Amino acid sequence: MVGDVVYGAPLLPQIAVGVEYKRNLDGPIIAVLGAGDDSGIDYTLSATKLLLEHSLLVSAAARLTEGNQLGLLGFGSAAGRGYRVEFEGSLAYQLSRRAVIGAEYRSKPDNLGLGEDDWIDIFAAYALNENITLSAAYVDLGSIATFEDQRGGFLQAQIAF
């Protein structure tokens, strides 16, 4: 890891490299769908910076993956489709000491030819006090395993002591 999210050079973000192993426990099912394997490894390179003077958090990542629906439908394909570089990014703006709004985006490969869509969400959070936070989001996951229009709202209250 290099850099710092908050401190240090103003334009040098925190840069991280990651490796994530995933395994799907439904091997026979994902094989029928055309997945090449029931396990896989993702490699990531990410950069994150909090620009305090602008009340802005910016994060971007490149993910080398062959995961189908993030690995839920296995990895790669029997047709030989393998690793691809995908983009992930998020942006959050702090409206006040208690309120933040933002959006996230994640691209995904369509190794199985099922019309896998990229994911996007917009969110807002508000801290009522130091113990209670309310969050709301609209999420659009597109098509997942041929089920169209996977989108909806999310509402959460978090209480911490």
Side-chain angles (χ1 to χ4, degrees), residues 66-154:
E66 59 180 354
N68 307 315
Q69 293 295 348
L70 310 181
L72 296 173
L73 298 179
F75 302 85
S77 75
R81 294 185 185 118
Y83 279 96
R84 287 186 36 179
V85 176
E86 298 294 335
F87 172 77
E88 302 172 22
S90 58
L91 189 64
Y93 180 70
Q94 189 172 7
L95 297 168
S96 70
R97 291 179 54 93
R98 295 180 182 260
V100 72
I101 58 172
E104 299 172 300
Y105 172 83
R106 183 171 189 167
S107 67
K108 302 189 323 297
D110 186 19
N111 295 327
L112 301 178
L114 298 174
E116 187 165 336
D117 293 321
D118 297 345
W119 290 359
I120 190 167
D121 69 77
I122 55 173
F123 62 87
Y126 185 78
L128 293 173
N129 58 40
E130 62 185 39
N131 303 99
I132 302 172
T133 303
L134 301 176
S135 302
Y138 171 77
V139 180
D140 186 348
L141 306 178
S143 173
I144 299 177
T146 71
F147 291 95
E148 300 292 328
D149 302 326
Q150 298 295 304
R151 59 181 64 103
F154 170 82

